[in-house]
Amino acid sequence: MKKENNPTGFLFSKQNYIWLLASFAIIALSFILMGGASNDDPTQFNEAIYSFRRIHLAPAVFFIGIGVAIYSIFKKDKKQS
């Protein structure tokens, strides 16, 4: 008869989940940065859509958030090693 190795408990440690929640907050911040002022007159072009915040800062913050999420998944707990 084979004995199954089913560990009980969570897959990640508490620290991993904290990092994962932080990455979700960073990604949410990037979406907030991508949003912005609307145009009241649809016949007029609004140059604000090409601002530094929307074109450069928000995507950079998004990729930082993805990097933090990847880090939270691969981070090993010192107690588990």
Side-chain angles (χ1 to χ4, degrees), residues 9-18 20 69 71-77 80:
F10 292 109
L11 182 61
F12 297 121
S13 68
K14 181 180 177 183
Q15 194 72 20
N16 291 81
Y17 287 113
I18 291 172
L20 190 61
Y71 172 76
S72 73
I73 293 170
F74 287 112
K75 183 180 179 307
K76 289 274 189 189
D77 191 18
Q80 293 176 351

Side-chain angles (χ1 to χ4, degrees), residues 34-68:
M34 281 186 221
S38 62
N39 198 357
D40 295 331
D41 186 10
T43 61
Q44 297 295 322
F45 181 73
N46 189 356
E47 287 285 332
I49 63 169
Y50 296 119
S51 67
F52 172 80
R53 179 180 54 120
R54 289 186 181 146
I55 299 298
H56 298 287
L57 183 63
V61 171
F62 176 79
F63 285 118
I64 289 170
I66 296 294
V68 171

Side-chain angles (χ1 to χ4, degrees), residues 1-2 5 8 17 33 37 48 53 59-60 62 70 72 76 79:
M1 207 179 238
K2 287 186 179 181
N5 187 10
T8 58
Y17 287 113
L33 289 172
R53 179 180 54 120
F62 176 79
I70 292 170
S72 73
K76 289 274 189 189
K79 295 176 188 173

